[in-house]
Amino acid sequence: MTTLTNIPSLEREDHILDQLKEKFGDAIKESRISRRSRPEVTIAMEKMLEVSRFLRDELGFDRANGAGGADYLRDQKMEVIYHVSNLTRKETRDIVLSVKEIIPRSSPKVNSLVSIWPSVENFERETYEMYGITFDGHPHLEKLFLIDNWDGPPPLRKDVRIPTD
Amino acid sequence: MTSVVSSEPSESGSQTLTISVGPQHSGSGHMRLIIEMDGDIIIRASPDPGYVHRGTEKIYELRNIIKNIPVIERPAIIDASNLNHAYIRAVEELQGIEAPPRAQYLRCLLNEMNRITSHLYWLSIFGVFLGHTTMFMWPLGDRELIVDLQEKLTGARITHSYIVPGGVRRDLPQGMKEEAIKRTQYLEKRLEEYDKIFFENPIFTARAKGVGKLSRDEAVKLGAVGPALRGSGVDYDVRKDEPYAAYPELDFNVCTRQEGDSYARSMARIDEIRESCKLIRQIVQKIPSGPFRRKAPIVVPRGESYSRVESARGECSVYLIGDGGDKPYRLRFITGSYRNMAIIAPVLIGGHMADMPTAWWSIDYWPVEADR
Amino acid sequence: MSASQKARQQPDEDPIAMLADGINVWIGKLGDIVHTIVDRTPIRHVINWGRIYSLWPVNITTACCSAEFGAASGARHDLERFGVLPLGSLRQSDLMVVEGTVTNKMAKRLKMIYDQMAVPRYVIAMGDCSISGGLFHDSYSIVNGVHEFLPVDVYVPGCPPRPEALEQGIIMLQEKIRSSKVYEHT
């Protein structure tokens, strides 16, 4: 009935990941397909801009659905996750590629992708205020929701306990 | 609360004016727009959100997955079930279960009813913006008919908590089928009257046509979603492009308009109400028999899932990371209005200040949904 | 130091200021007499009757309960039959319906708006969030209950309250005004 129960043919997803591996080799640290139309790839943070440009120009991912962070306190790392998809070609619109980069918790700093996908501007601002991750090259990296609302440490970090706990 | 700050005159003698609209404003709702004007032309606009930021993404990590359902719904209570559907789909994907077919149809039924009530509410607030009292009263009155249907199905007027992991909470009540058919047919008749009273009326067309232009390329680039994108000529609808629940088996059209102005965005929504009426009738006629709920565990297994649905204001996505406990480890929740925040400035810039309400509200930006 | 403060410091030297002070005192006393008369005679009921049926709420929405406030003002429930017409401007409003969660950011603006409203002014706290924080009580950015910075007249619980509940809240507020003194509210 839904896409979950169909016999999955993962050719398109495999093709995307193969192309990425072929082009960038070592920069692709990890790749997997969690289900039909949900490929996932982890990229070294230095190569992020290059890979994103390739994704947009060559593979047709012309739209960023969202961006967000995740904090792994136990492993002392943080992640920035971008979800990108394609809007122009109708047959591949269902594919949402997760592009991840792992950053050390001690120095959370990555390159901003606003120059590639302008729509991530607000999402990166939110990630900045919620996790304290700095985005280099962001046009105006300032707080979005938390002005006047909260002036403590970045609230979504796992070691931050909110005051009414 | 409109404050005016004028800048120092520049060397050429020109002077710009900075106005902040909201949060106390008959239209702006719970957000502030900082608008800079040169004469009567808006040259810069920046939204100032956060007036309804309730820190829900932190709260999700503190509650178990069932207790999270009401919290997920609150950001857009007039469109509650669509948001809930995105969340439940993400949870079910991690748990590896799937709701029975009857539940899928019931979910779609509630989603479509929510879409209608949300669009009618938007239309009535548009009436407030335009100073058009009939436009405020009529849609709200007709909305109550669908709200009654929702209440009959779920037991609550607008915050249903109806969709749960493994299915839905209640079965279709008796007499619902006939009632749904009757009421949607009545609503379609009313929409024809709306056409004559509102949408072909110069009072509305003169204020909406050609106002707040958003080109196709810009809409795609800035990540617009929902009717705001479809009003610019992109036929993107998650229900068609990545069909979920019962939508693959249902017959409907994606409503697009080419012009990309306020009028096009508004009409895309009105067309959607018509499609939703058809969908509701299809659903109650086609609905299969069988169980409506199956057992589901109260844990989020280790893993990640990304699910999205088409809510009334556009694509709503949930990115869920589970660590094996009963609470989500991380829940990233991006709603349609939050995505559409990026197009507020391009829609307003270059227009007259007097056109601001029409251009702005045609995006259907619901601040609570954006701030979460 | 402003001119009025100077005048108050040197009353002996300025006969006009002395005269003005005297008149002020007498007007104050006269005012007290008028207040007493109004509160102890049927004039009170006439004034309260006027207040009861012109409760114009200020246009401020704080969170999602506004959806039900909208439904209550709409065609079916029609709050206007109680004299509640949500189209007034800030200065002409008598009633503030706090519709839902109040965040830290909104709280400052809410107080500012309340201070600008003319007396008598009444506050209805609508929804669980504005009463006690409700569903979001453990959030980092909200105020747990609007009573922390505003005097609340009527609480309307519910998440969100049904339009009927809001109507009842308004009737309760009208009852409260009916039995109150005219100059009580400041």
Side-chain angles (χ1 to χ4, degrees):
Chain A
M1 182 161 171
T2 56
T3 47
L4 277 171
T5 49
N6 291 346
I7 302 157
S9 87
L10 303 173
E11 281 172 25
R12 298 172 307 163
E13 292 82 355
D14 275 333
H15 185 61
I16 291 166
L17 295 182
D18 287 344
Q19 270 177 301
L20 276 175
K21 277 180 208 158
E22 210 173 282
K23 173 93 176 154
F24 294 101
D26 288 348
I28 310 296
K29 287 186 174 168
E30 204 184 322
S31 69
R32 68 190 193 97
I33 300 167
S34 53
R35 70 162 164 98
R36 194 181 130 83
S37 66
R38 291 284 184 276
E40 207 181 287
V41 61
T42 309
I43 292 165
M45 52 185 283
E46 311 83 50
K47 289 271 187 181
M48 195 65 183
L49 268 172
E50 260 175 72
V51 177
S52 316
R53 196 164 288 123
F54 178 76
L55 280 172
R56 185 192 63 180
D57 297 338
E58 308 294 324
L59 301 184
F61 287 97
D62 53 358
R63 182 165 178 273
N65 287 39
D71 181 16
Y72 296 93
L73 188 61
R74 210 171 293 158
D75 304 337
Q76 284 298 312
K77 66 170 187 181
M78 285 207 255
E79 265 179 16
V80 179
I81 306 119
Y82 293 88
H83 291 103
V84 293
S85 67
N86 168 26
L87 207 59
T88 8
R89 265 179 294 150
K90 215 166 165 43
E91 64 278 7
T92 53
R93 273 185 188 174
D94 59 320
I95 295 181
V96 178
L97 174 68
S98 306
V99 186
K100 289 184 189 174
E101 50 187 332
I102 296 172
I103 45 180
R105 215 162 174 284
S106 50
S107 63
K109 201 172 180 185
V110 290
N111 284 324
S112 164
L113 298 188
V114 175
S115 54
I116 315 279
W117 293 295
S119 60
V120 299
E121 187 183 322
N122 285 334
F123 306 134
E124 282 185 352
R125 271 176 79 179
E126 199 198 355
T127 311
Y128 161 71
E129 63 180 2
M130 296 294 175
Y131 284 97
I133 298 171
T134 317
F135 289 87
D136 272 349
H138 192 284
H140 38 266
L141 194 65
E142 38 190 74
K143 286 184 174 183
L144 184 66
F145 295 130
L146 294 188
I147 304 169
D148 280 3
N149 264 332
W150 171 253
D151 48 6
L156 278 185
R157 286 195 179 187
K158 284 284 175 186
D159 50 356
V160 176
R161 291 265 170 259
I162 48 183
T164 46
D165 257 3
Chain B
M1 203 158 62
T2 308
S3 62
V4 176
V5 182
S6 57
S7 67
E8 291 296 314
S10 66
E11 282 173 21
S12 61
S14 71
Q15 200 174 4
T16 62
L17 198 66
T18 307
I19 291 183
S20 90
V21 181
Q24 196 273 317
H25 181 260
S26 54
S28 81
H30 359 287
M31 68 112 51
R32 189 161 72 119
L33 276 171
I34 301 159
I35 291 174
E36 193 178 337
M37 300 194 304
D38 184 8
D40 192 26
I41 307 291
I42 297 170
I43 53 171
R44 197 176 60 82
S46 57
D48 173 24
Y51 287 93
V52 211
H53 176 73
R54 298 184 278 206
T56 45
E57 286 193 358
K58 185 79 177 177
I59 294 179
Y60 299 144
E61 294 169 10
L62 304 173
R63 313 261 161 94
N64 75 32
I65 52 168
I66 300 295
K67 283 184 177 177
N68 265 335
I69 292 174
V71 188
I72 285 274
E73 283 187 338
R74 287 305 179 279
I77 55 172
I78 50 175
D79 187 25
S81 81
N82 275 311
L83 270 60
N84 193 9
H85 200 172
Y87 165 67
I88 296 295
R89 285 186 65 75
V91 172
E92 282 181 346
E93 190 188 321
L94 275 188
Q95 291 176 339
I97 57 168
E98 199 179 342
R102 190 177 174 81
Q104 305 279 18
Y105 270 81
L106 287 172
R107 287 174 179 186
C108 287
L109 177 64
L110 188 61
N111 284 356
E112 291 310 315
M113 290 199 288
N114 266 195
R115 200 180 311 280
I116 293 176
T117 53
S118 171
H119 285 342
L120 285 176
Y121 190 82
W122 159 83
L123 183 63
S124 72
I125 302 297
F126 213 161
V128 175
F129 271 73
L130 298 172
H132 195 334
T133 316
T134 316
M135 203 162 160
F136 173 65
M137 284 294 179
W138 280 23
L140 271 182
D142 293 335
R143 175 177 174 263
E144 292 290 328
L145 299 176
I146 308 293
V147 171
D148 281 350
L149 274 185
Q150 292 175 3
E151 196 176 346
K152 196 170 179 180
L153 178 66
T154 67
R157 271 172 61 88
I158 47 178
T159 46
H160 319 290
S161 301
Y162 183 61
I163 304 173
V164 291
V168 293
R169 219 161 29 78
R170 289 166 76 170
D171 202 358
L172 199 67
Q174 267 190 344
M176 180 83 186
K177 184 179 166 186
E178 294 75 26
E179 200 65 20
I181 292 171
K182 215 166 75 186
R183 291 193 179 203
T184 49
Q185 276 169 348
Y186 171 77
L187 190 62
E188 281 182 338
K189 252 185 249 163
R190 287 286 287 175
L191 282 177
E192 280 166 28
E193 280 183 60
Y194 283 13
D195 273 344
K196 288 177 201 142
I197 301 266
F198 307 137
F199 308 124
E200 290 161 13
N201 187 339
I203 291 175
F204 181 69
T205 52
R207 291 194 64 179
K209 276 191 179 167
V211 168
K213 284 266 186 189
L214 186 71
S215 68
R216 188 199 147 98
D217 291 344
E218 208 168 14
V220 173
K221 197 182 78 182
L222 293 173
V225 286
L229 178 66
R230 292 193 280 275
S232 297
V234 186
D235 62 337
Y236 172 70
D237 191 322
V238 182
R239 290 177 293 170
K240 274 275 189 227
D241 292 325
E242 195 191 339
Y244 57 94
Y247 287 114
E249 295 161 25
L250 300 170
D251 176 38
F252 64 101
N253 298 323
V254 179
C255 311
T256 55
R257 294 269 169 154
Q258 299 302 322
E259 297 86 2
D261 56 0
S262 271
Y263 191 75
R265 287 191 284 274
S266 309
M267 294 326 279
R269 265 182 210 108
I270 302 303
D271 293 345
E272 260 181 33
I273 299 181
R274 292 200 176 92
E275 287 300 319
S276 294
C277 286
K278 279 183 213 156
L279 271 170
I280 288 176
R281 285 200 296 272
Q282 274 182 45
I283 291 166
V284 291
Q285 278 161 353
K286 270 187 172 176
I287 186 164
S289 55
F292 61 90
R293 189 173 181 178
R294 104 175 10 145
K295 268 196 170 174
I298 316 184
V299 289
V300 206
R302 192 176 289 277
E304 292 169 20
S305 67
Y306 182 87
S307 82
R308 49 182 185 161
V309 302
E310 184 74 21
S311 76
R313 292 178 192 75
E315 180 191 331
C316 165
S317 66
V318 168
Y319 173 60
L320 181 66
I321 303 176
D323 65 344
D326 60 345
K327 295 165 187 165
Y329 185 77
R330 163 83 171 119
L331 200 154
R332 177 78 174 134
F333 189 40
I334 303 185
T335 50
S337 294
Y338 186 19
R339 294 196 162 91
N340 280 341
M341 195 197 284
I343 62 167
I344 292 176
V347 159
L348 294 183
I349 288 171
H352 291 280
M353 184 61 190
D355 289 335
M356 190 278 284
T358 333
W360 185 53
W361 192 247
S362 68
I363 302 171
D364 194 5
Y365 176 80
W366 183 251
V368 196
E369 198 189 76
D371 293 356
R372 289 158 295 132
Chain C
M1 193 180 280
S2 68
S4 61
Q5 280 172 320
K6 259 182 203 168
R8 229 174 277 146
Q9 275 191 344
Q10 308 155 333
D12 302 333
E13 294 165 18
D14 192 350
I16 298 171
M18 265 176 78
L19 190 68
D21 272 9
I23 290 172
N24 267 341
V25 169
W26 277 104
I27 286 177
K29 280 184 181 169
L30 204 64
D32 289 346
I33 295 166
V34 169
H35 290 192
T36 323
I37 292 171
V38 166
D39 274 340
R40 290 186 182 172
T41 54
I43 303 172
R44 175 169 81 103
H45 300 296
V46 178
I47 292 176
N48 278 345
W49 175 80
R51 285 179 180 175
I52 284 170
Y53 298 111
S54 65
L55 287 172
W56 287 14
V58 62
N59 261 317
I60 174 81
T61 48
T62 55
C64 44
C65 281
S66 58
E68 285 299 56
F69 186 80
S73 324
R76 181 186 283 181
H77 298 282
D78 195 14
L79 281 185
E80 208 175 326
R81 65 199 155 114
F82 300 107
V84 176
L85 178 67
L87 290 169
S89 89
L90 193 64
R91 299 279 184 189
Q92 278 107 43
S93 308
D94 318 276
L95 173 64
M96 177 187 270
V97 183
V98 183
E99 298 155 9
T101 326
V102 180
T103 57
N104 292 336
K105 190 170 181 174
M106 188 58 111
K108 288 175 197 163
R109 274 76 175 179
L110 210 60
K111 185 84 178 81
M112 209 187 280
I113 289 160
Y114 180 79
D115 290 342
Q116 287 182 57
M117 285 163 64
V119 289
R121 50 198 173 188
Y122 308 97
V123 178
I124 292 182
M126 179 184 180
D128 288 349
C129 296
S130 64
I131 296 172
S132 68
L135 203 54
F136 303 96
H137 63 92
D138 50 359
S139 166
Y140 54 83
S141 67
I142 74 156
V143 180
N144 284 343
V146 74
H147 59 269
E148 286 181 13
F149 60 97
L150 290 182
V152 181
D153 290 288
V154 175
Y155 293 96
V156 182
C159 191
R162 296 173 65 92
E164 291 90 337
L166 183 63
E167 280 163 24
Q168 199 201 348
I170 283 164
I171 292 170
M172 282 168 75
L173 178 63
Q174 289 177 337
E175 291 301 321
K176 188 177 174 180
I177 297 170
R178 186 170 282 134
S179 59
S180 68
K181 286 182 177 169
V182 172
Y183 294 101
E184 219 171 38
H185 252 276
T186 46

